[in-house]
């Protein structure tokens, strides 16, 4: 417990600063003048209604799409995106069905031209750590959804990027598997000193994992409230009365925004 609290207290230096960025399609303004800051080693959760532009924001940050105005800073330097600094994990595991699990998680090693033998050793170590030892040569259709998502998490780790962009990675899982992977994500973030940005529709998930929660509006998306949880030590528990009270406050704040959730 002391180690976890110490890590939380050390968070603080600005890593990513988004300054008044906009994303506008010919017939739709997804967001305009969107600004927020994420500190190094922190966990930021983005909570808002379906279709409000959260995934588009992540695609802009990752460099999959350009932004149309404003600026982005990485460690104080202006950048166009975090293509070289972030790894993205989606709701779907996107494992290739013709590859076994080991070959799937080795994709970052091969695409980044890293040493394959070293990469295999690290991949097997991580697969074992996440309960996938013995399943290295199974194919995606031969294992459960939770196991596939754990494999996708290992693949994301093997990109070895400073930032994780997690776009609802747990939303399709059953409650027990989801709870287990929430704990794994929190441990990974602390142990590997990653900065995590996570999209979720689960209020309690955001409160359990995040150091900062951004509440988002409908289109055009804007931040309607920023909640700082850094003084709330981890691990946190679903039955915590303080978290339950905070969850009610969040629902109250988002009441007018969550019409389709």
């Amino acid at each position: 417990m002391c180690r976890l609290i110490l890590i939380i207290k050390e968070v603080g230096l600005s890593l990513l600063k988004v300054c008044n960025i906009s994303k506008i399609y010919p017939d739709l303004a997804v967001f305009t003048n969107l600004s927020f800051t994420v500190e190094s080693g922190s966990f930021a959760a983005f909570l808002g209604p379906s279709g409000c532009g959260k995934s588009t924001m992540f695609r802009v940050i990752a460099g999959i799409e350009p932004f149309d105005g404003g600026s982005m800073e990485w460690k104080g330097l202006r950048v166009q995106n975090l293509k070289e600094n972030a790894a993205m994990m989606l709701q779907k595991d996107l494992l290739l069905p013709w590859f076994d699990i080991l070959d799937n998680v080795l994709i970052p090693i091969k695409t980044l031209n890293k040493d394959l033998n070293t990469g295999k050793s690290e991949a097997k170590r991580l697969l074992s750590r996440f309960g996938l030892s013995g399943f290295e040569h199974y194919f995606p259709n031969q294992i459960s959804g939770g196991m596939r998502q754990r494999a996708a998490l290992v693949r994301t780790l093997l990109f070895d990027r400073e930032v994780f962009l997690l776009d609802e990675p747990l939303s399709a899982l059953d409650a027990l598997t989801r709870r287990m992977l929430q704990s794994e994500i929190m441990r990974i973030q602390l142990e590997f000193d990653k900065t995590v940005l996570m999209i979720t529709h689960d209020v309690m998930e955001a409160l359990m994992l995040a150091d900062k929660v951004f509440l988002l509006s409908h289109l055009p998306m804007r931040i309607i409230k920023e909640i700082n949880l850094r003084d709330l030590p981890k691990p946190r528990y679903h039955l915590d009365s303080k978290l339950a009270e905070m969850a009610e406050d969040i629902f109250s704040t988002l009441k007018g925004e969550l019409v389709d959730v």
Side-chain angles (χ1 to χ4, degrees):
M1 179 71 73
C2 292
R3 178 176 177 270
L4 295 179
I5 295 172
L6 177 61
I7 292 175
I8 292 169
K9 287 182 177 178
E10 288 177 348
V11 169
L13 296 176
S14 175
L15 187 72
L16 170 65
K17 187 176 290 186
V18 171
C19 309
N20 298 313
I21 66 168
S22 301
K23 182 62 185 177
I24 303 172
Y25 297 112
D27 58 349
L28 180 67
V30 182
F31 46 82
T32 58
N33 299 317
L34 183 69
S35 299
F36 60 87
T37 300
V38 177
E39 291 77 19
S40 177
S42 69
F43 196 123
F46 295 83
L47 186 63
S50 297
C52 73
K54 301 182 296 296
S55 294
T56 301
M57 175 185 68
F58 269 24
R59 290 198 298 271
V60 166
I61 293 171
I64 299 169
E65 296 189 38
F67 54 87
D68 300 309
S71 63
M72 195 183 302
E73 293 182 9
W74 170 257
K75 298 182 179 179
L77 300 176
R78 185 167 291 198
V79 294
Q80 290 300 309
N81 54 63
L82 299 190
K83 188 178 293 185
E84 302 300 323
N85 308 101
M88 194 168 178
M89 181 177 172
L90 305 177
Q91 179 179 346
K92 295 181 179 179
D93 56 71
L94 299 181
L95 298 178
L96 299 178
W98 55 87
F99 279 180
D100 64 20
I101 298 306
L102 181 59
D103 281 337
N104 264 289
V105 302
L106 284 173
I107 287 173
I109 303 299
K110 295 175 180 178
T111 57
L112 297 173
N113 294 314
K114 295 186 176 181
D115 182 76
L116 188 57
N117 289 329
T118 302
K120 280 185 178 180
S121 296
E122 179 65 5
K124 289 178 179 179
R125 185 185 72 81
L126 289 172
L127 287 170
S128 177
R129 183 213 167 127
F130 291 113
L132 294 172
S133 180
F135 293 93
E136 295 91 344
H137 300 297
Y138 280 62
F139 288 85
N141 67 344
Q142 296 176 312
I143 61 176
S144 70
M147 295 170 79
R148 290 196 300 271
Q149 208 66 352
R150 275 181 273 160
L153 192 55
V154 170
R155 181 184 58 197
T156 305
L157 270 173
L158 287 171
F159 274 104
D160 196 25
R161 300 291 169 80
E162 198 165 345
V163 175
F164 281 178
L165 301 174
L166 307 181
D167 190 351
E168 296 189 74
L170 310 181
S171 61
L173 302 177
D174 65 86
L176 289 176
T177 304
R178 183 171 186 149
R179 184 79 62 87
M180 181 191 70
L181 284 181
Q182 285 171 351
S183 298
E184 288 294 344
I185 287 172
M186 185 174 68
R187 279 197 287 267
I188 286 168
Q189 188 242 340
L190 296 174
E191 180 180 335
F192 292 88
D193 195 27
K194 300 295 183 183
T195 300
V196 178
L197 283 67
M198 182 176 182
I199 292 171
T200 181
H201 285 112
D202 187 326
V203 173
M204 192 56 72
E205 181 172 82
L207 292 174
M208 289 280 293
L209 298 177
D211 302 306
K212 186 187 290 186
V213 178
F214 295 99
L215 305 185
L216 306 171
S217 73
H218 270 291
L219 292 171
M221 187 179 75
R222 59 188 174 84
I223 294 172
I224 57 178
K225 189 173 183 179
E226 179 180 321
I227 302 171
N228 193 333
L229 302 172
R230 192 169 301 146
D231 293 333
L232 209 59
K234 298 176 184 178
R236 302 172 190 153
Y237 302 97
H238 283 73
L239 299 179
D240 189 303
S241 59
K242 185 173 183 178
L243 292 187
E245 183 180 340
M246 295 178 74
E248 287 302 315
D249 288 342
I250 288 174
F251 278 122
S252 178
T253 300
L254 291 176
K255 187 175 181 180
E257 309 293 338
L258 300 176
V259 294
D260 59 351
V261 173

